[in-house]
Amino acid sequence: MSTTHTDRLRALLEPLAEQAGLDLEDVRVTRAGSRRQVQIDVDTDGGVDMDAIAEFSRVVGEALDESDLMGDDAYLLEVGSPGAERPLVLPRHWQRAEGRLAKIHLEDGGEIVARVLEADEDGALVEVQPVKGRGRPKERRLAYAEVARARVQVEFNRKDDELLDEAADFDEGEDGAE
């Protein structure tokens, strides 16, 4: 059985990520001039902070230098998180996106924009947003097999209920009087 260079990198990196308490989300190797660029995305349920990324980057750099996977070629190592508009591929991605808006391309060719309400190992309950603001949102259960691809959407003007509640508490003052 033949394995690709990326498969061999994943085999090296998976246990390192697990030891660091991280999920290895993506590994990409591209050419950047005369050297290779190794891009690694990691994440956790609560998100990943810069200190964890820096430490994991150090560990990965040492492991790559000790292995023969990169050969004698120079390489540039970049470790980061999947970003704000992350693709939703695995059940854990859907679970981490609960409360977020997603653009979902369906296997039947349709496309919906929906808020992820909850997710499990088989699918997700989503709230489909009305087209052009007409009508009311509708809940729909999506099996992952129905989804061709999905990506979290960035929302710049979302009015978060929790933040609104906190603002109301602030306006009332500490004694509850206005």
Side-chain angles (χ1 to χ4, degrees):
M1 180 176 126
S2 173
T3 60
T4 67
H5 187 252
T6 303
D7 291 336
R8 291 190 301 275
L9 272 172
R10 275 190 165 280
L12 174 72
L13 299 174
E14 280 285 354
L16 298 175
E18 191 174 308
Q19 288 171 2
L22 303 169
D23 293 319
L24 183 65
E25 297 295 354
D26 196 16
V27 177
R28 296 171 307 284
V29 180
T30 56
R31 267 282 167 211
S34 62
R35 60 184 168 189
R36 286 188 275 183
Q37 185 171 2
V38 180
Q39 296 172 299
I40 301 167
D41 288 338
V42 293
D43 204 4
T44 66
D45 285 343
V48 63
D49 65 29
M50 293 304 291
D51 290 337
I53 287 175
E55 177 60 21
F56 186 65
S57 181
R58 185 191 62 74
V59 169
V60 168
E62 289 174 1
L64 288 175
D65 290 345
E66 291 172 6
S67 76
D68 63 350
L69 282 175
M70 300 309 293
D72 292 332
D73 292 345
Y75 66 91
L76 175 65
L77 176 62
E78 290 183 13
V79 178
S81 67
E85 291 188 354
R86 64 188 61 206
L88 303 175
V89 179
L90 300 172
R92 72 174 179 244
H93 301 155
W94 287 87
Q95 291 163 347
R96 290 174 183 164
E98 287 179 5
R100 305 279 310 271
L101 203 61
K103 187 173 192 177
I104 305 165
H105 299 268
L106 302 171
E107 286 290 343
D108 68 8
E111 179 182 298
I112 60 175
V113 175
R115 187 161 313 281
V116 180
L117 300 176
E118 58 185 52
D120 57 33
E121 292 302 312
D122 301 315
L125 179 64
V126 298
E127 182 180 72
V128 181
Q129 304 302 303
V131 178
K132 295 184 182 180
R134 296 184 186 132
R136 295 191 169 278
K138 295 179 181 148
E139 287 187 7
R140 176 176 175 182
R141 174 78 183 168
L142 282 176
Y144 296 131
E146 294 179 71
V147 177
R149 67 185 189 281
R151 185 174 293 277
V152 170
Q153 299 295 288
V154 174
E155 293 181 83
F156 292 106
N157 60 350
R158 180 174 179 197
K159 306 235 183 325
D160 192 341
D161 293 338
E162 186 178 313
L163 291 176
L164 290 174
D165 289 344
E166 288 176 14
D169 291 344
F170 180 77
D171 287 343
E172 291 179 87
E174 290 186 26
D175 62 359
E178 290 189 76

